[in-house]
Amino acid sequence: MAIGQIQAAVTGARPEAGDDALPAHVAIIMDGNGRWAAQRGLPRVAGHRAGVQAVRRTIEAAVAQHVGWLTLYAFSSENWRRPETEVRDLTGLLRHFIRSELDELHREGVRIRIIGDRGRFDTDIQADLVAAERRTTANTRLNLTVALSYGARGEIAAAARAAAEAVRDGKLDPASITEESFAGYLSTFGIPDPDLILRTSGERRLSNFLLWQSAYAELVFTDVLWPDFGASEFAEALAEYARRERRFGARPG
Ligand code: FPP
């Protein structure tokens, strides 16, 4: 690991794409909007609004740092249990975000994918999500995956169900199921596993996020609350990643 690469990440200079010191895929658990608002005596929705600004900054940082894949945990399958007003605030922000940002994201070369149970959102949002995916499908600069109404256990159970149905229909031999072929039933099919999973706000949990895909991910936790997250915090996380030695279960060489 060259010191220069770490410095490059900290100073914002660009490490080379394809460099092992640079994670190809960064996945982020955006946490702390509520606490950020409470610290300021503001309603929770103000924290979520500020969180959307942090989403914008983070997408820009990922593009600037040549990270090819970015996944954001925007709404968990458990978030539906929050009070109705907060769910409405969050879905409203999502609706507004897609409508106001899509042109710019498309211009920037961002390809948008959605994972999760999108069928639980209002039909106009579902239509916007499909439109965003279709419109940006040929973009290659940044692959942005937004996890919405997503839960990893639900995802794995759905994959098991689909494989079982294929066996029942005589299309799949159970003996042929491997880790690789099973991954093909997950919603992340075609997306490389995350190299780095980052969580803000000091919590140290995965909270049902990418449980299968995170098997060998480096986990980085920062005390920064999500609305305060931006380019320099993103660069710091990349620098922390660059300091880690990844062995994938093997012995150090
Ligand atoms: C965690 O903060 C954050 C969320 C539940 C949602 C994240 C959503 C956004 C950043 C805005 C919407 C996103 C898009 C893509 C438009 P929390 O409310 O759990 O904070 P707390 O733990 O401090 O209460």
Side-chain angles (χ1 to χ4, degrees):
M1 178 58 40
I3 290 294
Q5 289 161 347
I6 297 167
Q7 285 167 342
V10 172
T11 57
R14 296 174 176 186
E16 291 302 311
D19 184 337
D20 273 355
L22 183 69
H25 183 179
V26 177
I28 305 183
I29 302 171
M30 308 182 287
D31 197 8
N33 295 351
R35 275 161 284 168
W36 185 92
Q39 284 173 3
R40 289 161 178 75
L42 297 170
R44 290 179 65 80
V45 65
H48 294 316
R49 271 196 215 110
V52 174
Q53 302 302 326
V55 166
R56 285 200 188 94
R57 293 194 295 271
T58 303
I59 292 171
E60 278 166 23
V63 170
Q65 296 277 0
H66 298 277
V67 168
W69 300 79
L70 177 69
T71 297
L72 300 176
Y73 202 5
F75 197 96
S76 76
S77 42
E78 290 76 28
N79 284 156
W80 293 110
R81 295 194 207 123
R82 292 194 177 194
E84 203 185 317
T85 47
E86 185 170 357
V87 168
R88 209 174 314 124
D89 287 338
L90 281 167
T91 53
L93 282 171
L94 174 64
R95 180 185 282 113
H96 184 257
F97 179 81
I98 306 164
R99 291 185 186 167
S100 61
E101 297 295 317
L102 182 58
D103 283 350
E104 177 64 19
L105 291 171
H106 185 46
R107 239 192 327 271
E108 283 278 309
V110 177
R111 176 176 180 177
I112 298 170
R113 287 182 180 82
I114 307 298
I115 56 171
D117 185 6
R118 65 177 79 189
R120 291 187 69 177
F121 290 96
D122 291 345
T123 50
D124 68 311
I125 294 183
Q126 291 183 45
D128 286 347
L129 296 175
V130 170
E133 286 178 317
R134 286 209 183 124
R135 184 153 166 225
T136 62
T137 192
N139 293 343
T140 55
R141 198 160 177 212
L142 173 69
N143 288 279
L144 172 67
T145 302
V146 186
L148 290 171
S149 189
Y150 173 86
R153 286 184 170 183
E155 175 190 37
I156 294 167
R161 206 154 47 236
E165 283 164 5
V167 169
R168 180 198 61 199
D169 297 343
K171 293 177 183 152
L172 179 66
D173 174 4
S176 74
I177 298 177
T178 61
E179 291 178 21
E180 289 73 26
S181 71
F182 185 76
Y185 290 93
L186 296 170
S187 63
T188 49
F189 176 61
I191 300 174
D193 285 346
D195 302 293
L196 166 60
I197 294 186
L198 172 67
R199 183 171 189 151
T200 58
S201 90
E203 307 289 349
R204 291 166 178 248
R205 292 186 293 278
L206 284 179
S207 297
N208 208 11
F209 185 50
L210 300 178
L211 297 183
W212 172 284
Q213 299 86 345
S214 64
Y216 288 105
E218 293 295 329
L219 308 181
V220 172
F221 301 99
T222 169
D223 289 337
V224 171
L225 301 176
W226 178 250
D228 291 326
F229 195 86
S232 61
E233 290 76 18
F234 191 80
E236 266 171 40
L238 296 189
E240 169 64 28
Y241 174 86
R243 285 191 288 271
R244 304 273 177 98
E245 185 190 6
R246 300 185 80 198
R247 295 205 292 270
F248 301 97
R251 287 169 57 192

